[in-house]
Amino acid sequence: MIIEDKKIPVLGQLKSKGILIEWIDDSVYVTANSDQWNSGLRDILSEYDYEISKELAESVIESSDLVVCEEIGPVSPSQERLLNVERLLPQSILYQQPETLFMYGQLNIEALKYSINEVINHQGSLRTVFRNLKEKNRYPIQIVNQFEKRDLEFIDLSKVDNPKDDLYSIIWKKSHLKFSLRKGPLFRFLVVKLDKEEHIFMFSIHHLISDGWSSELVLKQLSHYYNAKINNTAPSISPLEITFSSYCKTLQEKSHIEALKKSINYWKKELEGPYKPIQFSPKNRVDALSLKIVVHKIKIEAALIKKIEKESSLLAITVPSVLLGVFALVLHKTFKSDDIRIGTMFANRMSKKIEKTVGFLANMLIIRFLINNNLNHTDWLKSCNKKLQNAMSNQEIPFQEVVAALESQDAYNLKDLLQVKFVITNVSKEPIKFEGLKHELKNLIDGTQIGITSMDLRVHLVPQQNGDYSGTISYKKGLFSEAQIHELWNTYLKLLQEVF
């Protein structure tokens, strides 16, 4: 509970100075910046011990459960959706998949450790933990803890025979360690040394505090601080214009809520009407619904991407609309469905002031493709491009708000609403450089069961510096065989070549 200012006047005085005292569960939280706390906040509170109840005063001053934090606030609608999934599937690691960066050259471990701590200090999202208090008639909250210096886990395999065999085992084990949403931290950084000039930097950040945009941003800032340390220069990263926690508070403002009503109407019209799910398996869907997923690596060669970029530019359409539109055609031809709905992610950073902030802003929305066999490929792709443009204009509406609006439609079967997801993670054309090092981001998971999901089929592509689009295709083991997935992907590549 928040202690009421009217009952204890001194708390109002402290609040006016930006200091808030709050009981959450069995802990006492003092929201204050480090300067305020270090300048004697404990002493200030003890002076008012006659005004604050003895129990609170003693708790604040002496309790081991005392937490001094920077900010306490509401979660975003997207975070709340993930928290609900986490509560239903507490053992799932679906939202904490690792990234692995192969680094070649003389890696300065101390400089990397310094860089990690600087980014943690700069980005409040990386110091965030969660409390789900719905059972106490409160919404979930996020708490931004004060900065504490972190060590960097280091494993030396340079003297081991066949170190890469051990590497895969280590990455597997580390990627399956569950984060504690309550205690944090919700990230994991690890360096594995293979030899003097080859290291693996593994980092994993929970999706509740990060997204594809954020992962790239973290790498950019890590490289910036690393290079500054190596070159003995001052880093030039500016303070955040807005923290993610503060951004979440703006989502509850009346003006923002009113603006979203127009988007709700757009999505209701776009997705209205009955929908027959795609029949991926000849089996009964209930019998085939094994939640285990399998992941395989995929790639679109740079030569084909270059051709698509050239032709799509002449047609005034985007590459993502081409890749998504052609995938919809493949699903139509393979599974004989004329109403294809594909979930995709939007960065949802409409305001420039949020572009440098790490956080879970990406929003999933559903693009509906009503197949028209009378259209040629050019007209089809132009219509797909228009759909994506309209979706981007209405991307701020949280996915669960769209779902809630559709639930009122009697003919709508929401359990089959989102079968397929197709995501392209946009990355900056500005290369990330670590001084004196070459690096390569690799996905070490292939043909591996990594968790559970309600999604039937998911494609994730990331543009690479060499021009390729590479990533993963994941699918439910109970619905597809490995041969079917390979055939599906090969059909997709052939159709991309035919179209262009």
Side-chain angles (χ1 to χ4, degrees):
M1 64 178 180
I2 297 179
I3 313 302
E4 294 183 30
D5 302 347
K6 293 179 181 178
K7 293 182 179 179
I8 308 177
V10 66
L11 296 185
Q13 297 172 28
L14 292 173
K15 186 176 181 181
S16 69
K17 297 178 181 179
I19 300 168
L20 181 67
I21 299 175
E22 190 170 4
W23 264 324
I24 299 175
D25 293 344
D26 297 322
S27 299
V28 178
Y29 284 78
V30 178
T31 305
N33 61 44
S34 55
D35 291 338
Q36 289 170 322
W37 184 249
N38 294 333
S39 65
L41 178 56
R42 286 174 180 262
D43 295 335
I44 294 173
L45 291 173
S46 63
E47 289 177 10
Y48 292 102
D49 142 28
Y50 65 92
E51 238 178 306
I52 306 175
S53 70
K54 184 178 179 182
E55 181 184 3
L56 176 60
E58 289 177 352
S59 296
V60 170
I61 297 167
E62 299 174 7
S63 172
S64 60
D65 289 330
L66 172 68
V67 181
V68 183
C69 56
E70 284 190 4
E71 210 168 354
I72 299 176
V75 300
S76 71
S78 296
Q79 285 177 314
E80 187 170 2
R81 174 172 57 85
L82 258 62
L83 284 169
N84 289 335
V85 174
E86 287 280 351
R87 191 171 65 253
L88 292 171
L89 304 171
Q91 300 307 314
S92 173
I93 58 164
L94 185 61
Y95 297 118
Q96 56 180 69
Q97 297 308 309
E99 304 267 13
T100 45
L101 193 70
F102 281 66
M103 309 182 85
Y104 308 101
Q106 296 285 340
L107 175 65
N108 188 317
I109 297 295
E110 289 304 312
L112 183 59
K113 187 188 299 184
Y114 158 82
S115 306
I116 289 170
N117 279 289
E118 288 298 312
V119 175
I120 294 170
N121 189 29
H122 184 65
Q123 297 285 355
S125 291
L126 299 179
R127 293 179 272 115
T128 297
V129 293
F130 295 86
R131 295 288 187 275
N132 197 336
L133 304 176
K134 278 195 170 181
E135 67 278 8
K136 299 184 179 182
N137 297 317
R138 292 187 59 184
Y139 290 103
I141 59 171
Q142 55 186 321
I143 300 163
V144 182
N145 290 323
Q146 289 195 325
F147 169 70
E148 290 183 8
K149 193 173 183 180
R150 299 278 175 179
D151 204 357
L152 173 60
E153 186 176 2
F154 180 82
I155 298 175
D156 189 351
L157 297 180
S158 60
K159 297 179 181 179
V160 175
D161 293 335
N162 302 317
K164 289 191 177 180
D165 292 340
D166 288 349
L167 170 67
Y168 291 109
S169 176
I170 289 169
I171 297 299
W172 172 262
K173 288 178 181 178
K174 294 296 181 182
S175 65
H176 281 69
L177 291 176
K178 180 73 175 174
F179 289 129
S180 170
L181 303 185
R182 182 185 179 88
K183 296 179 180 179
L186 301 186
F187 59 80
R188 185 173 292 116
F189 295 103
L190 165 71
V191 170
V192 180
K193 180 179 180 180
L194 298 183
D195 62 40
K196 187 177 180 180
E197 294 198 352
E198 184 176 5
H199 294 77
I200 311 301
F201 176 47
M202 187 201 93
F203 63 100
S204 179
I205 306 175
H206 199 287
H207 198 14
L208 273 167
I209 60 171
S210 181
D211 53 21
W213 182 293
S214 297
S215 294
E216 185 191 11
L217 183 57
V218 167
L219 268 183
K220 277 184 178 179
Q221 294 192 349
L222 280 174
S223 66
H224 179 89
Y225 284 116
Y226 181 90
N227 296 339
K229 187 71 172 178
I230 292 294
N231 295 318
N232 197 27
T233 58
S236 57
I237 294 180
S238 303
L240 297 178
E241 291 189 54
I242 184 171
T243 65
F244 181 72
S245 182
S246 297
Y247 166 78
C248 289
K249 292 175 183 176
T250 67
L251 300 181
Q252 297 190 342
E253 294 175 358
K254 185 177 179 180
S255 59
H256 180 81
I257 294 172
E258 288 296 323
L260 291 184
K261 288 181 180 179
K262 294 181 180 178
S263 291
I264 281 284
N265 292 332
Y266 167 80
W267 288 108
K268 285 176 68 174
K269 184 177 180 180
E270 181 69 14
L271 299 173
E272 68 183 355
Y275 170 58
K276 183 179 179 181
I278 304 172
Q279 295 299 313
F280 288 130
S281 171
K283 304 176 185 178
N284 184 296
R285 277 183 57 81
V286 175
D287 297 332
L289 281 183
S290 165
L291 292 178
K292 289 186 177 294
I293 57 174
V294 180
V295 181
H296 290 292
K297 296 178 184 177
I298 53 175
K299 182 170 68 173
I300 305 176
E301 297 285 352
L304 179 54
I305 290 294
K306 190 173 182 180
K307 190 175 181 182
I308 292 172
E309 288 175 338
K310 180 180 178 181
E311 296 298 324
S312 61
S313 177
L314 295 175
L315 296 173
I317 59 179
T318 65
V319 173
S321 64
V322 170
L323 298 180
L324 189 57
V326 172
F327 193 71
L329 287 179
V330 170
L331 294 179
H332 158 67
K333 292 181 178 181
T334 304
F335 302 106
K336 314 304 179 187
S337 176
D338 293 332
D339 190 349
I340 304 292
R341 305 186 185 202
I342 302 177
T344 192
M345 300 299 293
F346 292 87
N348 198 21
R349 282 169 165 81
M350 305 285 279
S351 170
K352 281 193 171 292
K353 68 180 182 179
I354 198 72
E355 287 184 353
K356 301 297 183 182
T357 301
V358 168
F360 178 26
L361 284 98
N363 190 26
M364 179 169 62
L365 294 171
I366 298 172
I367 311 299
R368 184 181 191 182
F369 299 94
L370 295 172
I371 307 299
N372 184 345
N373 292 314
N374 295 322
L375 291 180
N376 58 37
H377 285 154
T378 298
D379 290 338
W380 167 252
L381 293 177
K382 285 183 176 180
S383 71
C384 294
N385 189 71
K386 186 176 181 180
K387 276 189 174 293
L388 255 67
Q389 287 179 335
N390 290 336
M392 288 180 68
S393 299
N394 293 277
Q395 65 177 284
E396 288 190 281
I397 187 73
F399 174 69
Q400 57 271 31
E401 300 271 353
V402 176
V403 172
L406 293 173
E407 282 181 332
S408 61
Q409 300 183 18
D410 295 336
Y412 223 92
N413 193 348
L414 289 178
K415 72 181 180 67
D416 293 316
L417 174 64
L418 191 56
Q419 295 175 268
V420 183
K421 192 173 179 181
F422 191 103
V423 178
I424 302 172
T425 298
N426 292 319
V427 296
S428 171
K429 293 183 179 180
E430 179 185 347
I432 297 172
K433 295 181 180 179
F434 288 86
E435 189 71 28
L437 298 170
K438 293 182 179 180
H439 68 271
E440 183 180 7
L441 198 62
K442 292 184 179 181
N443 189 334
L444 296 182
I445 300 175
D446 186 36
T448 307
Q449 295 182 26
I450 62 168
I452 57 178
T453 181
S454 60
M455 202 82 58
D456 292 345
L457 181 67
R458 181 180 186 270
V459 173
H460 182 206
L461 292 170
V462 182
Q464 304 297 321
Q465 292 184 16
N466 65 358
D468 291 343
Y469 273 44
S470 64
T472 58
I473 184 167
S474 55
Y475 57 94
K476 281 185 183 174
K477 188 179 180 182
L479 287 177
F480 302 94
S481 67
E482 184 175 338
Q484 286 175 315
I485 291 299
H486 283 304
E487 183 180 356
L488 180 71
W489 186 250
N490 287 333
T491 300
Y492 177 60
L493 293 178
K494 287 178 182 177
L495 187 54
L496 280 174
Q497 292 168 339
E498 288 175 15
V499 170
F500 292 98

